Amino acid sequence: MAGNRLPPYDKLVEQINRLPSLGRKTSERIAYHIIEMGDGEVEKLVEAILSAHNDIHRCSICGNYTDKEICSICADPTRDKSVICVVTRPRDIMAFEKNRVLKCTYHVLHGLLSPAEGIEPHMINIKSLIERLKKGGIKEVIMATDPSVMGEATAMYISKFIKPMNIKVTRLGYGVAVGSELQYADEMTLSRSIEYRNEI
Amino acid sequence: MAGNRLPPYDKLVEQINRLPSLGRKTSERIAYHIIEMGDGEVEKLVEAILSAHNDIHRCSICGNYTDKEICSICADPTRDKSVICVVTRPRDIMAFEKNRVLKCTYHVLHGLLSPAEGIEPHMINIKSLIERLKKGGIKEVIMATDPSVMGEATAMYISKFIKPMNIKVTRLGYGVAVGSELQYADEMTLSRSIEYRNEI
């Protein structure tokens, strides 16, 4: 490996390094592991990569991940199709579904607006959302993007297009998390919990 | 994705999660990335994985990684073959080679003895080292395993087999790193730097 370079090793480390969250050291550790893995294990890994990449695509209605034309949520007749919950990524749908909080449909933006990172409106799934709303039948759009600066900015930006359509636009409530301790809550969260206080 | 599970996604996350240093969140982030990658990029990744796994193996003499029968170091006629530097992993050879510190040959253990982790002598590359020494011509073995408890224990264990062969066994010098600040050195390192002090 040392002395002359070992090209297959270098190429593998380089490819792994391009994956998100992986620094040089971890990439080398993983490359090492792949070299030492059994043949059957490597086959399983490669098979999983190719299947996921080739079989999974975005639902033509909402952008959720599916291996069919339309995702299981859009295809579900028991859903309240008059309410659309807009999320940042497919994983966020899982959070709501796991907790059985919503019985509506979703729309996945696959990103958030970010001038700093050069992410502009046309680069995320906004147009298809507007087109979906234009088809009619929608009573409410819940902006469930990340509770962050970018998530907030994206929610506000999109809501400006929806309001003129006479569709109710709502934003997730901010506040202290259930079961949390007030003394550990951050300043922003605490101030929101006051701002969004409800009469009892 | 939510609602009904998406098997190709789950399988990919599961396979990635098995790689070292990767937790659930990072595995999901990587799976997402693989789904969204271009077809050409996925091909490159899979190609790199298969090439490295199929082409790279252990040098039949020293255990270093190579895509040939014998690694470039063992094949190098300018090397001092009477001195063997024993390291934990192939990456460690790179450290010595990068710094042009040694011009000898190496032996890679591919692990360290660890009762706690169930790593026993027969599970690392000790036998092939002893067999190499039995062939004769070796003047010195430098134990360059990790400067850690396990590296130390492994060095001591192996040295007991080498001493009776009348071969000089040495261990890397411990001490403070060049350019470091004494006030930031840990206790063990400082006490070793006193223990291994040299007369000037």
Side-chain angles (χ1 to χ4, degrees), chain A residues 36-37 39 53 58 65, chain B residues 34 36-37 39 53 58 65:
Chain A
E36 296 283 333
M37 272 166 105
D39 291 346
H53 180 78
R58 299 181 182 189
Y65 282 149
Chain B
I34 286 174
E36 296 282 333
M37 272 166 106
D39 290 348
H53 180 78
R58 299 181 183 188
Y65 282 149

Side-chain angles (χ1 to χ4, degrees), chain B residues 77-103:
Chain B
T78 70
R79 295 272 167 173
D80 178 4
K81 288 183 157 47
S82 70
V83 179
I84 297 178
C85 179
V86 178
V87 295
T88 310
R89 55 190 75 76
R91 271 199 321 273
D92 297 338
I93 296 182
M94 235 196 301
F96 285 108
E97 289 294 303
K98 196 167 58 173
N99 292 316
R100 302 171 193 272
V101 168
L102 292 165
K103 260 308 220 167

Side-chain angles (χ1 to χ4, degrees), chain A residues 83-140:
Chain A
V83 178
I84 297 177
C85 179
V86 179
V87 295
T88 309
R89 56 191 73 76
R91 271 199 320 273
D92 297 338
I93 297 181
M94 235 195 302
F96 285 109
E97 289 293 303
K98 195 168 58 174
N99 291 316
R100 301 172 193 272
V101 168
L102 292 166
K103 260 307 218 171
C104 59
T105 51
Y106 295 86
H107 200 87
V108 182
L109 296 177
H110 286 282
L112 295 170
L113 300 178
S114 171
E117 290 170 59
I119 304 175
E120 294 170 17
H122 69 274
M123 293 163 77
I124 62 178
N125 231 11
I126 297 179
K127 191 164 168 229
S128 58
L129 170 64
I130 305 302
E131 258 144 47
R132 215 173 141 187
L133 298 176
K134 280 182 179 165
K135 289 186 172 151
I138 312 298
K139 281 184 341 221
E140 178 181 359

